[in-house]
Amino acid sequence: MNKTPRVNINLDNIEQNARVLKEKCDSLGIEITGVVKGGAGDLRIVNSIVAGGILTLGDSRLKNIIKMREAGFDNKIVLLRLPRLSEVKKIIKYVDISLNSELVTLKSLAREAIKQKKTHQVIIMVDVGDLREGVLVNDFIKFIEKAIKIDGIKVIGLGTNVGCYGGVLPTFENTEVLLDLKEEVKNKLNYKLKIVSGGNTATTKLLDSNELPQGINNLRIGEGLIQGTDITHQREIDYLNSNNITLTAEIIELKEKQSVPSGKTGHDAFGNKPEFKDKGIRKKAILAVGRQDVKIAGMTPLLKGVEILGASSDHLICDITDTETKLQIGNELEFKLNYGAMLKAMTSPYVDKHYFNLL
Ligand SMILES: *Cc1c(COP(=O)(O)O)cnc(C)c1O
C-alpha cells in the first residue's frame, strides 16, 4: 500500500508533453526552455523532460539547479529568478544563463565570471506591463547600452514575463515590443540580440492561435509541460496530457453531520469567518490532508459527487452524500491539482511521491 497523502506523478505523460511541445515549437523555429520548478527539483521529472527532447532547462531556485548538476545533468540551465547578489559565486559556477534587470547585479556576475574564468550569458528582462521583473520599455536602450559594455558577461537576448503577478495576458502587441526593441538595439547600437524569449505557458495561447509575432525564438514553459494546463487562460491545452500530477488522501472519519456548525462561532484557525449553507444532515468524510500539504482551493475531486467543504492544517472535510461509490474508513480519494496546488504539494515535506507510468 502506498503512503498518503501522496502525489501521483505520471512521468510518461510528462515526457510525451515534452516531445509534443518540442516538435510543435521546432517547426516554428522556437526553442523551449523546460521549466522544472513546478516539480520542486524532482529529478525524475527533469529526466522525463530531457527524455522528451527538451534539452535546455530552467528553474527559479539555485538549490534545485545545484541538485540537477550534482545528479549529473550537464544540460544548458537557465536561472529564472533574478540573481541575488549573495549567490553570484554559485550562479557562475552552476548556471549557464541568467535573467537580469539590474546593472549592479550584472557587474557582480561579470566580476565573478572573470574570476572563475567562465563565460556567463545573460538575458535582459523587459517589463511590458505585468509589473513583475524587468527593465521598463522606455529605459531599455539606455540599459542595454551599458550592459553590453560590461566585460565578463555576454548579453545574448531579451525576454519578458507576463501573466504571473499582475495577471496581464500575453498579446501580439505586448510580445511584439520585444522584437521592436531588438531591432532598435541593432540599429542604434549595432548589437545583435540573438534570443527573444517571449514568455511562459500563458504565451502558448498565442502560439496556438497563430498570433505569436514571428521572431520570438524562445519560450520558457513549465506549467504546460508538467500539468498540460494554462491557468492564466483557465484552459487545458488540448494537445497535451493533463492531470499528470494528482493527489491522493485517505479517509479517517465518515459520519452524518449537520451542514451548519452549532454553538457560538468566531473565526477559524486561519482568521477567516467561514459561511455555511444549511442543507440539513449530510454524509461527511474527513481526509488526512490539509493546508500544510496542498492548496485546498486548487483541488478538484476526481470521484463524482464529492464536494470539498473546507480544510484546516491537517484535515480536509468533504461532503460525500452524492457519491455513488460506498466509501469506507481507509479508502483513498484522488484529486486533480491546479498548478498552485501542485507546487504546494510537491514542496511539502509531508507529501509522499509515487511515480507511475501508464504507457
Ligand atoms: C516560472 C517561470 C516561467 C515558467 O512559467 P509557467 O507558467 O510555469 O510556464 C517562465 N519564466 C519565468 C521567469 C518564470 O519565473
Side-chain angles (χ1 to χ4, degrees):
M1 194 90 161
N2 292 303
K3 290 183 193 150
T4 66
R6 65 172 180 272
V7 280
N8 311 289
I9 306 171
N10 190 324
L11 294 171
D12 283 339
N13 272 3
I14 295 172
E15 179 180 332
Q16 200 177 50
N17 280 359
R19 192 166 293 122
V20 169
L21 264 174
K22 179 171 156 59
E23 253 168 43
K24 190 176 169 86
C25 288
D26 269 356
S27 67
L28 298 164
I30 299 167
E31 190 215 14
I32 298 179
T33 299
V35 174
V36 297
K37 69 184 184 208
D42 185 287
L43 294 172
R44 294 210 220 178
I45 293 179
V46 177
N47 207 29
S48 303
I49 289 169
V50 174
I54 294 182
L55 300 181
T56 301
L57 302 170
D59 203 300
S60 46
R61 306 266 167 172
L62 195 55
K63 221 175 184 171
N64 292 345
I65 293 176
I66 293 173
K67 195 165 130 188
M68 288 187 250
R69 289 295 189 221
E70 284 173 348
F73 286 96
D74 58 359
N75 300 61
K76 209 196 288 173
I77 298 187
V78 184
L79 177 67
L80 297 171
R81 186 168 65 186
L82 304 176
R84 285 173 283 180
L85 284 178
S86 56
E87 64 185 1
V88 158
K89 228 184 206 159
K90 286 184 182 159
I91 292 172
I92 297 299
K93 182 160 177 211
Y94 295 107
V95 174
D96 302 291
I97 304 172
S98 60
L99 308 183
N100 284 272
S101 70
E102 292 289 353
L103 288 167
V104 179
T105 312
L106 288 175
K107 285 177 192 158
S108 175
L109 287 166
R111 274 194 302 273
E112 186 59 34
I114 291 170
K115 218 190 270 173
Q116 292 188 27
K117 299 192 176 59
K118 282 210 159 186
T119 6
H120 186 74
Q121 303 182 316
V122 302
I123 290 175
I124 307 301
M125 295 303 276
V126 183
D127 179 359
V128 298
D130 196 49
L131 297 183
R132 211 178 78 174
E133 73 275 50
V135 179
L136 296 174
V137 174
N138 288 336
D139 301 334
F140 186 74
I141 297 295
K142 260 199 269 169
F143 184 97
I144 204 119
E145 190 175 8
K146 290 184 187 137
I148 59 180
K149 287 186 188 138
I150 301 172
D151 281 333
I153 49 165
K154 180 144 185 59
V155 180
I156 57 165
L158 76 174
T160 195
N161 196 63
V162 293
C164 270
Y165 170 69
V168 169
L169 298 176
T171 57
F172 180 88
E173 290 76 19
N174 66 19
T175 309
E176 202 190 22
V177 169
L178 295 178
L179 297 169
D180 295 344
L181 289 175
K182 173 187 159 146
E183 200 54 30
E184 204 178 333
V185 170
K186 192 173 129 214
N187 294 336
K188 285 197 180 145
L189 307 173
N190 195 26
Y191 188 89
K192 186 161 185 264
L193 293 165
K194 240 175 25 199
I195 311 250
V196 190
S197 189
N200 53 38
T201 294
T203 304
T204 57
K205 186 85 191 295
L206 296 182
L207 195 69
D208 297 341
S209 55
N210 288 321
E211 287 174 277
L212 191 69
Q214 213 166 31
I216 300 294
N217 57 18
N218 175 270
L219 291 175
R220 308 172 310 269
I221 300 185
E223 183 195 352
L225 197 54
I226 297 175
Q227 276 298 54
T229 53
D230 166 10
I231 198 164
T232 24
H233 294 97
Q234 297 281 305
R235 66 178 187 134
E236 287 188 356
I237 301 172
D238 56 15
Y239 51 89
L240 297 179
N241 301 312
S242 51
N243 301 323
N244 307 320
I245 301 184
T246 60
L247 182 116
T248 297
E250 187 178 328
I251 299 176
I252 53 173
E253 184 187 287
L254 274 172
K255 288 189 194 308
E256 300 207 329
K257 292 192 184 183
Q258 289 288 353
S259 35
V260 179
S262 55
K264 195 166 166 244
T265 58
H267 290 84
D268 68 13
F270 294 87
N272 305 312
K273 229 177 150 112
E275 279 175 35
F276 298 89
K277 220 162 66 200
D278 192 357
K279 294 185 183 172
I281 290 179
R282 306 286 289 176
K283 221 186 278 168
K284 309 270 192 77
I286 297 183
L287 283 77
V289 67
R291 297 202 205 189
Q292 300 200 72
D293 309 297
V294 62
K295 193 175 136 209
I296 309 300
M299 298 168 75
T300 310
L302 284 178
L303 183 67
K304 228 177 103 210
V306 176
E307 186 196 349
I308 296 175
L309 298 173
S312 59
S313 328
D314 312 291
H315 299 81
L316 179 77
I317 295 111
C318 296
D319 184 329
I320 55 154
T321 316
D322 300 333
T323 52
E324 280 163 19
T325 323
K326 181 152 173 42
L327 295 170
Q328 295 173 337
I329 299 295
N331 281 167
E332 296 177 344
L333 290 181
E334 193 178 352
F335 299 85
K336 269 181 16 175
L337 303 176
N338 73 11
Y339 193 67
M342 178 197 82
L343 260 178
K344 184 79 203 280
M346 289 298 292
T347 47
S348 169
Y350 303 109
V351 177
D352 221 57
K353 287 181 187 172
H354 174 60
Y355 302 89
F356 72 104
N357 308 312
L358 285 180
L359 297 181

